[in-house]
Amino acid sequence: MAHIYMNYPTCYKTWTAFIAKAVTLVLLAFAPSATQAKTAGKIKNDTLRVEKAEMWKPVAAFTTYQTDSTDMKGEKLADDNFLTGNPLLQGEAEGFIGYGDAMPTGNNVLSQYAFRVRSSRYTKATVRVQGISRYKIYGEDGQELKGGSLTLTGDEKKLRLVVTSDKEKADTFRVDVIGQGLSINADSPRPLTWAAMQQGPHHRSVSTSPSGRYAIMNYSNLRADGKQDYWATLTDLQASRTLSRMDGECRYHWLMGQDILYYTRSRNGHRQLVTLNPANCEEKVLADNLPEGNCILSPRQDYAIYASHEKGRPTDGALRYMEEPDDQQAGWRDRKALWRIDLRSGVRQRLTFGRESMDLADISPDGQKLLLAYNRFDATRRPFSRTTLIEMDAYTGAVDTLLLDAEFLGGDAQYLPDGHTLLVNGSANAFNNIGSELAEGQIGNAFHYGLFFYDTATRKAAYALPRGFKPSISRTTVCPGDNAAYLLTEDGYDATVYRLDLRTRAIKRVDLPMTLTTAYSVATHQKHPRIIACGQDGGTLARLCFVGNEGGKFAPFGEIDAKALNAPYAPTPCHEWSFKSSRGDSIQCFYYTPNTSADKLKDLPMLVYYYGGCDATARRAETNWPFRLWAAQGYAVLVVEPSGANAFGQEFAARHVGTWGEGTAQDIIEATQRFCSEHPWVNPKKVGCLGASYGGFMTEYLQTQTDIFAAAVSHAGISNIASYWGGGYWGYTYGEVAEYGQFPWSDRDLFVEHSPLFNADKIHTPLLLIHGTADTNVPTAESQQLYTALRILGREVAYITVNGENHVVTDPVKQAEWIHTILAWFAKWLKDEPEWWEDLYPAAKK
């Protein structure tokens, strides 16, 4: 029987124009079972009556004064002019109305009612209103439902019925909703939606002052129209009060060792460098008429360093001479140079010039030295790119070259409190393998970062981390206050913060109340530093922010109430799971299930997600690949961390090099089969898989290795390793990681036999290929050529392009369409519900 929400008050509010009365609840129609519903290939619709609705206090208007019966167009005053001009009443509902109850009457009385419609699947519904002469229906976005037509995608929508009356005789409340898999005013939490995950306020970054007293938090808010708002708040943590709110995007920095903010702004057409003292909110302009570019202020506040972006040699007209393989990239010929501004005299001094872009890595604690870094490219040797670090005297310009053409460095370096030791990041093979835990001759994954000490006086390096430390380092903050470094790491499928004691090299995980840290800040000059961290956990809560001390308690911080944001939506539980592979590895995974009790999980379709190279897949509640949303749509969701993923140790990450799917595919296949066997509530015949970029390649490669998947989605996947190597903006440089020392002419087995295109005849799984038309990382030809091959072979394949989008779909409107396309594809093949897909793409009907 169809579920009808019938728990409504036994009495209603009364107003002068409205007297409530008892009603008899009638179930208009029964919902057929899944087998009964399909007749002659069509699914019957349910017709459900809206038995109650929220009610707003009616509003009356006086009669419009008319000087004439018509206006200058010869048109009469419309009877529903009051209705048209007032689409939605504001504020909270003040009562309820039931089916058959009388509505307010009188001259131009405007009344409004709200009810919720939920669907268990994609459906096109119709809202039918009877017995009411003048009304309009609006969705939550304020848009009118033309003809009462409503589309639901396994979600819930709140509808507003706006009615006007000028009659003495009352209309009665009568509304039906016709569609498939519907419920009205369901009393359980509503399903999670893409809009709920993406829209609303989000933390962007946080920064605490050196003493830990103040904090500045940057926020963004995605509106329903797809536009972003940005602002920042300055908080006095000691007094627990907000000092100011600054609208717009801006980079705020703290002076080294001082609770003074500085930033650049535009004022009267001039770019200014400004300091702000939170203690009295006084501003001071340090420099005016600055050029565009990021500006870093010295610890002494006597000079500033800024980077200027300088245009390179223009193109050669109709013909273009390619200077390097990377010259295909827009802006590759442009370079970045560093300048110094003396804030006392206003004199500007160019610090760097040449064919390489220069970065300011750090300024020494005393402000005397600048640590500069640049990369030099040479296609004739490996690795192609090498790093040079130099130390420049900030006052004389004298230069000391510390490291020349160093291999396998990550590019980040900073001074320790002693002023002569650097903390440098790099992969396992950096500094002649002193931190390597790999086998002899094995090449490490260049995206798995460790840390090294480098003494500028002795020119000696040492590995900074204890042996066996598996996480990959993402960011480092040095804290003179407790002589430690705080490390943001990719720690398995989490992102966590560790404290590294710079004296003893002892390392300890900071016990933050979240599993995935997206931003953090440490009070660098406190003995027991205050830490603020933003992030998520893998299940119900997102947009978390806490403040506290390492080893102490953390309290919520910021403007976002995470619990309130999540309260309306059904939780989608996240569970850890692992298995031992046939190769003896412990493969880590996590999974989501729909919001229902374990005893009700039955015959679920499942989606398997992976990246398959470099970064591990984070246990993230809000992401472009929305695991929780998929679970809310009725899928079990398994996320696999296969061989080659970072954050599980050097050796595990190094398996990405020179394999292109081999080993990784076996891990994913075994994970899927083992999970299905251990969880009998999964339907093993209704399992889909999907991934993007290298994960898109893995989707395609998997279909050449197995037939266990019933459907697959590849976003921006690589079908021909050789053509990607030569055609993608970063194809051959990514090859420095994925196939170090192997080339199309030297290893045909890797470049040909591992390419899905050359094995297209083995693909029998229905495959959806998606690609942004402006993708500069993986050219669209990678999807186009596999699509062509599969069409020639007569296989089930679809190819969708996303106009104007690059490697990642970022436009909010296009993102929603992209997500719905993926869900519609899986609904067709894993749920036997092709209607959504065919409504999106009518040409797909057969």
Side-chain angles (χ1 to χ4, degrees), residues 760-780:
D761 58 322
K762 300 175 184 176
I763 298 176
H764 296 276
T765 306
L767 176 62
L768 171 62
L769 303 166
I770 310 180
H771 224 120
T773 61
D775 196 329
T776 54
N777 186 342
V778 178
T780 56

PDB file of all heavy atoms in Angstrom, residues 760-780:
ATOM      1  N   ALA A 760      39.673  -3.026 -27.570  1.00  0.00           N
ATOM      2  CA  ALA A 760      38.259  -2.651 -27.572  1.00  0.00           C
ATOM      3  C   ALA A 760      37.348  -3.841 -27.851  1.00  0.00           C
ATOM      4  O   ALA A 760      36.209  -3.880 -27.362  1.00  0.00           O
ATOM      5  CB  ALA A 760      38.016  -1.543 -28.599  1.00  0.00           C
ATOM      6  N   ASP A 761      37.822  -4.805 -28.609  1.00  0.00           N
ATOM      7  CA  ASP A 761      36.981  -5.961 -28.938  1.00  0.00           C
ATOM      8  C   ASP A 761      36.665  -6.821 -27.723  1.00  0.00           C
ATOM      9  O   ASP A 761      35.751  -7.646 -27.757  1.00  0.00           O
ATOM     10  CB  ASP A 761      37.662  -6.812 -30.012  1.00  0.00           C
ATOM     11  CG  ASP A 761      39.036  -7.302 -29.582  1.00  0.00           C
ATOM     12  OD1 ASP A 761      39.766  -6.528 -28.924  1.00  0.00           O
ATOM     13  OD2 ASP A 761      39.382  -8.447 -29.898  1.00  0.00           O
ATOM     14  N   LYS A 762      37.399  -6.616 -26.632  1.00  0.00           N
ATOM     15  CA  LYS A 762      37.146  -7.374 -25.405  1.00  0.00           C
ATOM     16  C   LYS A 762      36.093  -6.712 -24.525  1.00  0.00           C
ATOM     17  O   LYS A 762      35.689  -7.302 -23.509  1.00  0.00           O
ATOM     18  CB  LYS A 762      38.454  -7.522 -24.614  1.00  0.00           C
ATOM     19  CG  LYS A 762      39.561  -8.248 -25.368  1.00  0.00           C
ATOM     20  CD  LYS A 762      40.848  -8.242 -24.561  1.00  0.00           C
ATOM     21  CE  LYS A 762      41.999  -8.881 -25.343  1.00  0.00           C
ATOM     22  NZ  LYS A 762      43.287  -8.789 -24.586  1.00  0.00           N
ATOM     23  N   ILE A 763      35.673  -5.492 -24.875  1.00  0.00           N
ATOM     24  CA  ILE A 763      34.725  -4.750 -24.043  1.00  0.00           C
ATOM     25  C   ILE A 763      33.300  -5.116 -24.438  1.00  0.00           C
ATOM     26  O   ILE A 763      32.890  -4.912 -25.585  1.00  0.00           O
ATOM     27  CB  ILE A 763      34.954  -3.229 -24.183  1.00  0.00           C
ATOM     28  CG1 ILE A 763      36.355  -2.854 -23.698  1.00  0.00           C
ATOM     29  CG2 ILE A 763      33.886  -2.451 -23.409  1.00  0.00           C
ATOM     30  CD1 ILE A 763      36.707  -1.385 -23.885  1.00  0.00           C
ATOM     31  N   HIS A 764      32.541  -5.645 -23.484  1.00  0.00           N
ATOM     32  CA  HIS A 764      31.139  -5.989 -23.710  1.00  0.00           C
ATOM     33  C   HIS A 764      30.223  -5.282 -22.704  1.00  0.00           C
ATOM     34  O   HIS A 764      29.006  -5.368 -22.841  1.00  0.00           O
ATOM     35  CB  HIS A 764      30.935  -7.499 -23.617  1.00  0.00           C
ATOM     36  CG  HIS A 764      31.661  -8.260 -24.687  1.00  0.00           C
ATOM     37  ND1 HIS A 764      31.136  -8.458 -25.952  1.00  0.00           N
ATOM     38  CD2 HIS A 764      32.891  -8.836 -24.690  1.00  0.00           C
ATOM     39  CE1 HIS A 764      31.996  -9.146 -26.681  1.00  0.00           C
ATOM     40  NE2 HIS A 764      33.073  -9.391 -25.947  1.00  0.00           N
ATOM     41  N   THR A 765      30.777  -4.602 -21.724  1.00  0.00           N
ATOM     42  CA  THR A 765      29.992  -3.894 -20.709  1.00  0.00           C
ATOM     43  C   THR A 765      29.413  -2.615 -21.297  1.00  0.00           C
ATOM     44  O   THR A 765      30.137  -1.862 -21.968  1.00  0.00           O
ATOM     45  CB  THR A 765      30.889  -3.539 -19.512  1.00  0.00           C
ATOM     46  OG1 THR A 765      31.534  -4.717 -19.039  1.00  0.00           O
ATOM     47  CG2 THR A 765      30.090  -2.895 -18.393  1.00  0.00           C
ATOM     48  N   PRO A 766      28.132  -2.290 -21.042  1.00  0.00           N
ATOM     49  CA  PRO A 766      27.604  -0.985 -21.445  1.00  0.00           C
ATOM     50  C   PRO A 766      28.444   0.129 -20.828  1.00  0.00           C
ATOM     51  O   PRO A 766      28.600   0.209 -19.609  1.00  0.00           O
ATOM     52  CB  PRO A 766      26.179  -1.000 -20.884  1.00  0.00           C
ATOM     53  CG  PRO A 766      25.814  -2.441 -20.835  1.00  0.00           C
ATOM     54  CD  PRO A 766      27.089  -3.162 -20.482  1.00  0.00           C
ATOM     55  N   LEU A 767      29.005   0.990 -21.677  1.00  0.00           N
ATOM     56  CA  LEU A 767      29.998   1.970 -21.240  1.00  0.00           C
ATOM     57  C   LEU A 767      29.566   3.375 -21.609  1.00  0.00           C
ATOM     58  O   LEU A 767      29.258   3.659 -22.768  1.00  0.00           O
ATOM     59  CB  LEU A 767      31.353   1.644 -21.882  1.00  0.00           C
ATOM     60  CG  LEU A 767      32.516   2.615 -21.613  1.00  0.00           C
ATOM     61  CD1 LEU A 767      32.845   2.683 -20.127  1.00  0.00           C
ATOM     62  CD2 LEU A 767      33.744   2.200 -22.413  1.00  0.00           C
ATOM     63  N   LEU A 768      29.535   4.262 -20.619  1.00  0.00           N
ATOM     64  CA  LEU A 768      29.268   5.682 -20.834  1.00  0.00           C
ATOM     65  C   LEU A 768      30.593   6.434 -20.765  1.00  0.00           C
ATOM     66  O   LEU A 768      31.308   6.361 -19.759  1.00  0.00           O
ATOM     67  CB  LEU A 768      28.304   6.221 -19.782  1.00  0.00           C
ATOM     68  CG  LEU A 768      28.112   7.739 -19.752  1.00  0.00           C
ATOM     69  CD1 LEU A 768      27.531   8.249 -21.068  1.00  0.00           C
ATOM     70  CD2 LEU A 768      27.231   8.152 -18.579  1.00  0.00           C
ATOM     71  N   LEU A 769      30.923   7.168 -21.830  1.00  0.00           N
ATOM     72  CA  LEU A 769      32.118   8.013 -21.882  1.00  0.00           C
ATOM     73  C   LEU A 769      31.671   9.467 -21.754  1.00  0.00           C
ATOM     74  O   LEU A 769      30.770   9.906 -22.472  1.00  0.00           O
ATOM     75  CB  LEU A 769      32.856   7.800 -23.198  1.00  0.00           C
ATOM     76  CG  LEU A 769      33.281   6.357 -23.511  1.00  0.00           C
ATOM     77  CD1 LEU A 769      33.679   6.223 -24.972  1.00  0.00           C
ATOM     78  CD2 LEU A 769      34.416   5.929 -22.597  1.00  0.00           C
ATOM     79  N   ILE A 770      32.296  10.215 -20.847  1.00  0.00           N
ATOM     80  CA  ILE A 770      31.981  11.634 -20.656  1.00  0.00           C
ATOM     81  C   ILE A 770      33.276  12.429 -20.747  1.00  0.00           C
ATOM     82  O   ILE A 770      34.312  12.013 -20.208  1.00  0.00           O
ATOM     83  CB  ILE A 770      31.306  11.889 -19.294  1.00  0.00           C
ATOM     84  CG1 ILE A 770      30.141  10.938 -19.059  1.00  0.00           C
ATOM     85  CG2 ILE A 770      30.818  13.335 -19.194  1.00  0.00           C
ATOM     86  CD1 ILE A 770      29.432  11.143 -17.738  1.00  0.00           C
ATOM     87  N   HIS A 771      33.203  13.589 -21.390  1.00  0.00           N
ATOM     88  CA  HIS A 771      34.423  14.383 -21.561  1.00  0.00           C
ATOM     89  C   HIS A 771      34.072  15.865 -21.701  1.00  0.00           C
ATOM     90  O   HIS A 771      33.134  16.215 -22.419  1.00  0.00           O
ATOM     91  CB  HIS A 771      35.175  13.933 -22.812  1.00  0.00           C
ATOM     92  CG  HIS A 771      36.644  13.791 -22.607  1.00  0.00           C
ATOM     93  ND1 HIS A 771      37.327  12.607 -22.780  1.00  0.00           N
ATOM     94  CD2 HIS A 771      37.578  14.694 -22.219  1.00  0.00           C
ATOM     95  CE1 HIS A 771      38.615  12.791 -22.519  1.00  0.00           C
ATOM     96  NE2 HIS A 771      38.798  14.057 -22.190  1.00  0.00           N
ATOM     97  N   GLY A 772      34.809  16.723 -21.011  1.00  0.00           N
ATOM     98  CA  GLY A 772      34.688  18.163 -21.209  1.00  0.00           C
ATOM     99  C   GLY A 772      35.318  18.565 -22.520  1.00  0.00           C
ATOM    100  O   GLY A 772      36.428  18.120 -22.844  1.00  0.00           O
ATOM    101  N   THR A 773      34.635  19.421 -23.280  1.00  0.00           N
ATOM    102  CA  THR A 773      35.159  19.790 -24.599  1.00  0.00           C
ATOM    103  C   THR A 773      36.420  20.630 -24.508  1.00  0.00           C
ATOM    104  O   THR A 773      37.156  20.737 -25.484  1.00  0.00           O
ATOM    105  CB  THR A 773      34.099  20.560 -25.397  1.00  0.00           C
ATOM    106  OG1 THR A 773      33.747  21.761 -24.693  1.00  0.00           O
ATOM    107  CG2 THR A 773      32.856  19.717 -25.625  1.00  0.00           C
ATOM    108  N   ALA A 774      36.675  21.254 -23.364  1.00  0.00           N
ATOM    109  CA  ALA A 774      37.861  22.102 -23.204  1.00  0.00           C
ATOM    110  C   ALA A 774      38.921  21.429 -22.345  1.00  0.00           C
ATOM    111  O   ALA A 774      39.756  22.106 -21.733  1.00  0.00           O
ATOM    112  CB  ALA A 774      37.459  23.449 -22.602  1.00  0.00           C
ATOM    113  N   ASP A 775      38.911  20.101 -22.290  1.00  0.00           N
ATOM    114  CA  ASP A 775      39.869  19.365 -21.463  1.00  0.00           C
ATOM    115  C   ASP A 775      41.276  19.524 -22.016  1.00  0.00           C
ATOM    116  O   ASP A 775      41.566  19.102 -23.136  1.00  0.00           O
ATOM    117  CB  ASP A 775      39.483  17.885 -21.411  1.00  0.00           C
ATOM    118  CG  ASP A 775      40.183  17.129 -20.290  1.00  0.00           C
ATOM    119  OD1 ASP A 775      41.314  17.501 -19.939  1.00  0.00           O
ATOM    120  OD2 ASP A 775      39.591  16.170 -19.772  1.00  0.00           O
ATOM    121  N   THR A 776      42.159  20.137 -21.229  1.00  0.00           N
ATOM    122  CA  THR A 776      43.552  20.320 -21.645  1.00  0.00           C
ATOM    123  C   THR A 776      44.468  19.244 -21.091  1.00  0.00           C
ATOM    124  O   THR A 776      45.618  19.138 -21.507  1.00  0.00           O
ATOM    125  CB  THR A 776      44.067  21.695 -21.182  1.00  0.00           C
ATOM    126  OG1 THR A 776      43.845  21.827 -19.777  1.00  0.00           O
ATOM    127  CG2 THR A 776      43.341  22.818 -21.901  1.00  0.00           C
ATOM    128  N   ASN A 777      43.973  18.474 -20.127  1.00  0.00           N
ATOM    129  CA  ASN A 777      44.789  17.411 -19.545  1.00  0.00           C
ATOM    130  C   ASN A 777      44.702  16.151 -20.399  1.00  0.00           C
ATOM    131  O   ASN A 777      45.701  15.665 -20.926  1.00  0.00           O
ATOM    132  CB  ASN A 777      44.316  17.138 -18.111  1.00  0.00           C
ATOM    133  CG  ASN A 777      45.205  16.150 -17.390  1.00  0.00           C
ATOM    134  OD1 ASN A 777      45.975  15.414 -17.999  1.00  0.00           O
ATOM    135  ND2 ASN A 777      45.099  16.122 -16.077  1.00  0.00           N
ATOM    136  N   VAL A 778      43.488  15.624 -20.532  1.00  0.00           N
ATOM    137  CA  VAL A 778      43.251  14.448 -21.374  1.00  0.00           C
ATOM    138  C   VAL A 778      42.444  14.902 -22.584  1.00  0.00           C
ATOM    139  O   VAL A 778      41.284  15.281 -22.448  1.00  0.00           O
ATOM    140  CB  VAL A 778      42.482  13.361 -20.597  1.00  0.00           C
ATOM    141  CG1 VAL A 778      42.209  12.161 -21.499  1.00  0.00           C
ATOM    142  CG2 VAL A 778      43.266  12.927 -19.360  1.00  0.00           C
ATOM    143  N   PRO A 779      43.020  14.898 -23.777  1.00  0.00           N
ATOM    144  CA  PRO A 779      42.289  15.361 -24.960  1.00  0.00           C
ATOM    145  C   PRO A 779      41.014  14.553 -25.193  1.00  0.00           C
ATOM    146  O   PRO A 779      40.942  13.368 -24.871  1.00  0.00           O
ATOM    147  CB  PRO A 779      43.293  15.160 -26.106  1.00  0.00           C
ATOM    148  CG  PRO A 779      44.630  15.153 -25.440  1.00  0.00           C
ATOM    149  CD  PRO A 779      44.408  14.527 -24.101  1.00  0.00           C
ATOM    150  N   THR A 780      40.008  15.212 -25.764  1.00  0.00           N
ATOM    151  CA  THR A 780      38.730  14.546 -26.009  1.00  0.00           C
ATOM    152  C   THR A 780      38.874  13.358 -26.967  1.00  0.00           C
ATOM    153  O   THR A 780      38.031  12.467 -26.966  1.00  0.00           O
ATOM    154  CB  THR A 780      37.705  15.531 -26.591  1.00  0.00           C
ATOM    155  OG1 THR A 780      38.256  16.128 -27.780  1.00  0.00           O
ATOM    156  CG2 THR A 780      37.371  16.622 -25.589  1.00  0.00           C
TER     157      THR A 780
END
